[in-house]
Amino acid sequence: EQQRLACSYVNLQPMWAKLNYIKNNKKPVVFLITGVSGSGKTWIANQLNLVKFNVVDSDKVKRRNIPRLCISSKPTTLFLTIGASTFMKNNPQFDYRFVIVLESREEVFARITARGGHIDNLDKRLNRMNILAQKASFVGTSTEVLNYLLSD
């Protein structure tokens, strides 16, 4: 009976990445990066693409596909503009490094107006980032965050 169970076809099937992590008791590390619009998240994502990171940008993919896209052999960076805390709570299968891009109000305002946009409630959003910063692994300007990610 034990030999029959050991030779079962289910033991010969390839293990999917998610099951690999579960069976190894090791969660994949995800650098979850957030910040207000105009803080430099897209610039960071573009720089990381140049050095072969697994970059997942919530502005470019469907939200339901994000957890699947975060499983990679390369370091994963997930860029979320909103809902970072909720995403972490709903996806406990990852080991998160919470990173906040926090630029000055003047810098964010200048970037947004330079590209012809506007942002409602900028002060409220910046205050929210300051509150989230208490839970973050790292907080810094876009350049500081990029240097942190490249050095890790």
Side-chain angles (χ1 to χ4, degrees), residues 39 44-45 85 113 138:
S39 61
I44 296 169
S85 297
T113 54
F138 186 82

Side-chain angles (χ1 to χ4, degrees), residues 127-138:
N127 286 338
R128 175 70 176 141
M129 288 301 129
N130 281 316
I131 292 168
L132 287 175
Q134 297 169 8
K135 300 176 185 177
S137 302
F138 186 82

Side-chain angles (χ1 to χ4, degrees), residues 7-62:
C7 295
S8 173
Y9 75 95
V10 295
N11 293 330
L12 302 175
Q13 293 179 350
M15 212 181 294
W16 299 106
K18 187 175 181 179
L19 290 176
N20 259 335
Y21 286 114
I22 291 169
K23 290 189 178 214
N24 287 332
N25 252 352
K26 183 179 177 186
K27 295 180 178 183
V29 174
V30 173
F31 291 92
L32 196 154
I33 298 148
T34 191
V36 299
S37 296
S39 61
K41 296 182 303 298
T42 302
W43 176 79
I44 296 169
N46 291 338
Q47 301 304 309
L48 292 177
N49 271 332
L50 297 175
V51 289
K52 307 291 191 247
F53 272 72
N54 176 36
V55 177
V56 180
D57 189 344
S58 67
D59 292 338
K60 298 178 181 175
V61 297
K62 292 183 179 179

Side-chain angles (χ1 to χ4, degrees), residues 45-95:
N46 291 338
Q47 301 304 309
L48 292 177
N49 271 332
L50 297 175
V51 289
K52 307 291 191 247
F53 272 72
N54 176 36
V55 177
V56 180
D57 189 344
S58 67
D59 292 338
K60 298 178 181 175
V61 297
K62 292 183 179 179
R63 204 151 182 89
R64 70 173 184 261
N65 293 334
I66 291 174
R68 179 180 52 80
L69 295 172
C70 286
I71 298 174
S72 172
S73 60
K74 295 186 265 182
T76 297
T77 54
L78 169 60
F79 292 84
L80 285 174
T81 302
I82 57 171
S85 297
T86 304
F87 184 85
M88 289 190 294
K89 183 176 76 175
N90 292 339
N91 293 281
Q93 70 268 33
F94 299 113
D95 182 9

